[in-house]
């Protein structure tokens, strides 16, 4: 008895090298592994007793797995949410990937005028293409739509300070991004008008005074109001802004360049073309939502305003790099050539239920064959465009439904998430569901392998 206590008290913290040897080959860089092992050992040192070597190894291996899972990596999106901010929003068109490869792997004329043999303008081609696409006098690009808003608000509030905005549009977009806070962070003052559910054009008219810098309209891209609700239209605000000589900016967020009806979605998402025609002086939207390109904040509108924005010192801090610009240029060209079928975000939205059902039947057949005893059927799902777009519309979809027998639904879901590549689905009622709309057909084989493996492990 005494001896055992003494041995435990004497157990030494193992050397880092011994743990590294026991780990064997690992795909993470050695300094990262060494750092992790050191941190684990110092945690153990802080405890009263040192666990056995094997328990330490279990601990280290688990932490390494967690660290490895946190590396940016592809996943299979079985949620049915097409523009998923947590999953990187738009999948890029193949044409854009080729452009990334070409531009990223060498030198380019990023800021060089080839004809003149001298320094040139960054992004001049893509700016022209975007202006044409949005029927605007001019266009420019910054890092994302939030950056576009910051740039715009900063520019217009240099002398006058107030941003007039409806109380119904002080929205939060995603985790912790609030329009009101963004505006205030730039040093501008919010001049809120109307009520949460009702803002009339007279509310705007009354608020405009000598200190008004801009009127900002923010598209309710991730929620909708029904019932006793009213808001002033872009036309009304546009007319008022012209009369009062106040710049009018509309933040469209999702930026559907292709009218959503053409994608088979019943709800209409205002397009930049429409917003400009209805009287907005400037419109901003994201590059990686319904536009289907890389992360970017696209600003289109009056030429003199775009020119002024580009002269802002802040513009330099928010400008896009060559990779974003090359992917954006490729995506803009696809839009202009009406090759929208090659833009994955738009293609995914248009897949018919028949196509999905055929894939589901084939997947279920193969799974039943490979995994006798697995309860797998094809089911119905309601996907979403997501990413702060079209909050009302559901996309009818087809799912692979699994009822695990020997494990809980959360355990089954966790096993699929631990697969390489991780497979993410959702639980509805008594089943685990994978929506095929957001799973690319070339991933069907991977999906079958992942489910078979999860079945033999836990299901
Ligand atoms: C998504 C969204 C933004 C933010 O766009 P990012 O490109 O993610 O910065 C801003 N405004 C609206 C209305 C949005 O929907």
């Amino acid at each position: 008895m005494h001896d055992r206590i003494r041995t435990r008290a004497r157990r030494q913290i193992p050397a880092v090298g011994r743990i590294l040897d026991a780990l064997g080959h690992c795909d993470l860089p050695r300094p990262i592994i060494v750092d992790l092992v050191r941190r684990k050992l110092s945690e153990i040192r802080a405890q009263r007793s040192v666990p056995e070597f094997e328990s330490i190894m279990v601990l280290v291996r688990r932490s390494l797995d967690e660290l490895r899972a946190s590396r940016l990596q592809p996943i299979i999106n079985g949620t049915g949410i097409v523009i998923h901010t947590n999953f990187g929003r738009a999948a890029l068109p193949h044409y854009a990937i080729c452009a990334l490869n070409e531009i990223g792997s060498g030198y380019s004329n990023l800021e060089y005028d080839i004809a003149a043999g001298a320094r040139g303008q960054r992004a001049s081609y893509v700016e022209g293409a975007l202006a044409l696409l949005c029927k605007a006098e001019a266009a420019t690009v910054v890092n994302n739509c939030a950056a576009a808003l910051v740039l715009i608000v900063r520019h217009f509030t240099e002398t006058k300070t107030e941003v007039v905005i409806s109380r119904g549009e002080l929205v939060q977009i995603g985790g912790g991004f609030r329009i009101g806070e963004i505006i205030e962070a730039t040093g501008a003052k919010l001049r809120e008008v109307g009520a949460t559910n009702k803002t009339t054009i007279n509310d705007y008219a009354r608020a405009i005074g000598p200190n008004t810098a801009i009127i900002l309209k923010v598209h309710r891209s991730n929620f909708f109001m029904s019932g006793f609700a009213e808001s002033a239209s872009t036309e009304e605000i546009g007319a008022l802004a012209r009369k009062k000589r106040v710049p009018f900016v509309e933040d469209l967020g999702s930026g559907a360049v292709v009218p959503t009806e053409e994608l088979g979605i019943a709800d209409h998402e205002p397009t930049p073309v429409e917003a400009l025609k209805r009287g907005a002086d400037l419109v901003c939207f994201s590059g990686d939502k319904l536009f289907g390109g890389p992360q970017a904040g696209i600003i289109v509108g009056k030429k003199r305003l775009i020119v002024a924005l580009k002269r802002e010192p802040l513009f330099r801090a928010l400008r896009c790099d060559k990779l974003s610009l090359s992917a954006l240029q490729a995506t803009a060209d696809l839009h202009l050539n009406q090759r929208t079928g090659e833009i994955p975000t738009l293609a995914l939205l248009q897949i018919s239920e028949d196509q999905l059902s055929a894939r589901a039947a084939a997947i279920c057949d193969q799974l039943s064959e490979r995994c006798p005893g697995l309860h797998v059927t094809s089911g119905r799902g309601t996907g979403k465009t997501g990413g702060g777009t079209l909050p009302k519309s559901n996309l009818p979809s087809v799912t692979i439904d699994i009822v695990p027998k020997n494990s809980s639904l959360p355990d089954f879901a966790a096993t699929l998430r631990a697969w390489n590549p991780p497979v993410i689905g959702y639980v509805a009622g008594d089943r685990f569901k994978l929506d095929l709309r957001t799973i690319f057909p070339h991933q069907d084989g991977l999906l079958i392998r992942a489910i078979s493996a999860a079945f033999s492990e836990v299901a």
Side-chain angles (χ1 to χ4, degrees):
M1 186 73 188
H2 263 101
D3 273 344
R4 261 179 61 201
I5 290 172
R6 229 175 269 141
T7 359
R8 194 178 301 168
R10 270 208 311 266
R11 196 184 290 136
Q12 294 278 312
I13 302 241
V16 174
R18 187 173 162 215
I19 294 180
L20 293 179
D21 286 345
L23 275 175
H25 173 76
C26 182
D27 49 355
L28 291 172
R30 196 173 162 89
I32 285 183
I33 303 168
V34 171
D35 177 63
L36 180 139
V37 170
R38 288 213 174 107
R39 272 186 291 124
K40 285 290 138 199
L41 291 183
S42 78
E43 275 170 37
I44 291 167
R45 207 167 284 125
Q47 295 164 3
R48 235 173 307 159
S49 70
V50 176
E52 292 194 27
F53 185 72
E54 264 322 302
S55 318
I56 295 177
M57 289 308 295
V58 169
L59 212 69
V60 166
R61 284 208 181 88
R62 195 182 307 142
S63 303
L64 268 177
D65 285 345
E66 279 168 22
L67 188 65
R68 188 181 295 108
S70 72
R71 284 189 91 238
L72 199 52
Q73 61 173 317
I75 59 153
I76 293 182
N77 174 11
T79 63
I81 299 168
V82 175
I83 305 168
H84 201 308
T85 301
N86 300 163
F87 297 169
R89 292 196 185 156
L92 292 177
H94 176 71
Y95 187 51
I97 300 296
C98 295
L100 280 175
N101 230 326
E102 230 173 33
I103 300 300
S105 60
Y107 297 113
S108 63
N109 61 338
L110 181 65
E111 281 183 10
Y112 184 75
D113 182 332
I114 293 171
R119 185 194 183 89
Q121 289 285 315
R122 177 183 286 246
S124 59
Y125 176 88
V126 76
E127 287 178 344
L130 290 167
L132 202 62
L133 190 61
C134 299
K135 299 194 167 75
E137 288 175 18
T140 193
V141 206
V142 288
N143 259 321
N144 54 24
C145 190
L149 264 182
V150 168
L151 178 68
I152 290 167
V153 171
R154 266 292 277 274
H155 171 71
F156 287 108
T157 55
E158 265 153 31
T159 46
K160 299 171 178 184
T161 54
E162 285 182 3
V163 176
V164 174
I165 183 168
S166 161
R167 290 200 167 89
E169 295 172 4
L170 286 167
V171 304
Q172 171 161 343
I173 292 143
F177 166 65
R178 291 188 171 148
I179 296 282
E181 287 170 6
I182 287 243
I183 294 170
E184 287 181 326
T186 66
K189 276 210 204 82
L190 282 177
R191 179 74 165 87
E192 300 172 28
V193 299
T196 302
N197 55 332
K198 254 184 189 271
T199 305
T200 64
I201 191 65
N202 286 333
D203 292 322
Y204 284 95
R206 273 199 299 275
I208 292 173
N211 235 335
T212 306
I214 50 166
I215 303 175
L216 179 64
K217 184 170 174 60
V218 178
H219 179 51
R220 289 186 195 126
S221 52
N222 55 5
F223 73 110
F224 57 91
M225 277 193 208
S226 63
F228 192 59
E230 185 184 329
S231 54
S233 68
T234 301
E235 282 100 333
E236 288 176 302
I237 303 172
L240 176 71
R242 261 194 313 282
K243 199 172 100 193
K244 303 270 190 182
R245 295 177 171 279
V246 176
F248 170 31
V249 178
E250 184 156 4
D251 172 15
L252 282 184
S254 53
V257 176
V258 177
T260 37
E261 296 78 0
E262 285 178 25
L263 303 172
I265 295 166
D267 293 306
H268 181 71
E269 187 81 351
T271 65
V273 174
E274 286 164 1
L276 290 175
K277 204 167 81 191
R278 290 172 185 160
D281 296 306
L282 286 177
V283 170
C284 58
F285 58 96
S286 294
D288 54 357
K289 292 183 182 172
L290 286 169
F291 189 77
Q295 178 186 305
I298 299 166
I299 309 172
V300 297
K302 294 262 160 67
K303 180 155 189 188
R304 90 190 137 75
L305 300 180
I306 297 281
V307 169
L309 285 179
K310 290 182 69 177
R311 284 212 194 98
E312 283 290 327
L314 192 59
F315 181 79
R316 172 64 179 78
L318 304 175
R319 76 179 185 191
C320 293
D321 77 318
K322 62 184 175 187
L323 296 182
S324 309
L325 289 173
S326 59
L328 193 66
Q329 168 177 286
T331 313
D333 278 356
L334 288 176
H335 275 289
L336 284 168
N337 281 323
Q338 299 191 316
R339 282 163 54 186
T340 48
E342 292 171 52
I343 299 174
T345 301
L346 301 182
L348 291 179
L349 290 171
Q350 293 182 82
I351 301 175
S352 72
E353 280 177 84
D354 284 350
Q355 282 168 290
L356 296 175
S357 296
R359 277 172 57 206
I363 292 170
C364 287
D365 278 356
Q366 287 207 41
L367 280 173
S368 306
E369 203 171 290
R370 279 175 170 234
C371 316
L374 172 67
H375 188 295
V376 57
T377 51
S378 111
R380 312 211 40 89
T382 42
K384 283 265 175 204
T385 50
T389 65
L390 297 155
K392 260 193 272 194
S393 58
N394 285 323
L395 298 168
S397 197
V398 178
T399 55
I400 302 292
D401 292 11
I402 295 164
V403 184
K405 235 186 283 170
N406 302 322
S407 79
S408 70
L409 286 164
D411 281 351
F412 186 74
T415 309
L416 276 180
R417 285 202 308 276
W419 183 252
N420 181 18
V423 177
I424 324 278
Y426 63 99
V427 172
D430 65 342
R431 50 200 57 203
F432 177 78
K433 286 167 93 73
L434 290 162
D435 193 315
L436 286 185
R437 180 176 297 279
T438 45
I439 297 175
F440 294 99
H442 70 82
Q443 295 176 322
D444 286 357
L446 281 172
L447 191 69
I448 291 167
R449 255 178 282 155
I451 296 171
S452 311
F455 169 71
S456 56
E457 230 174 274
V458 294

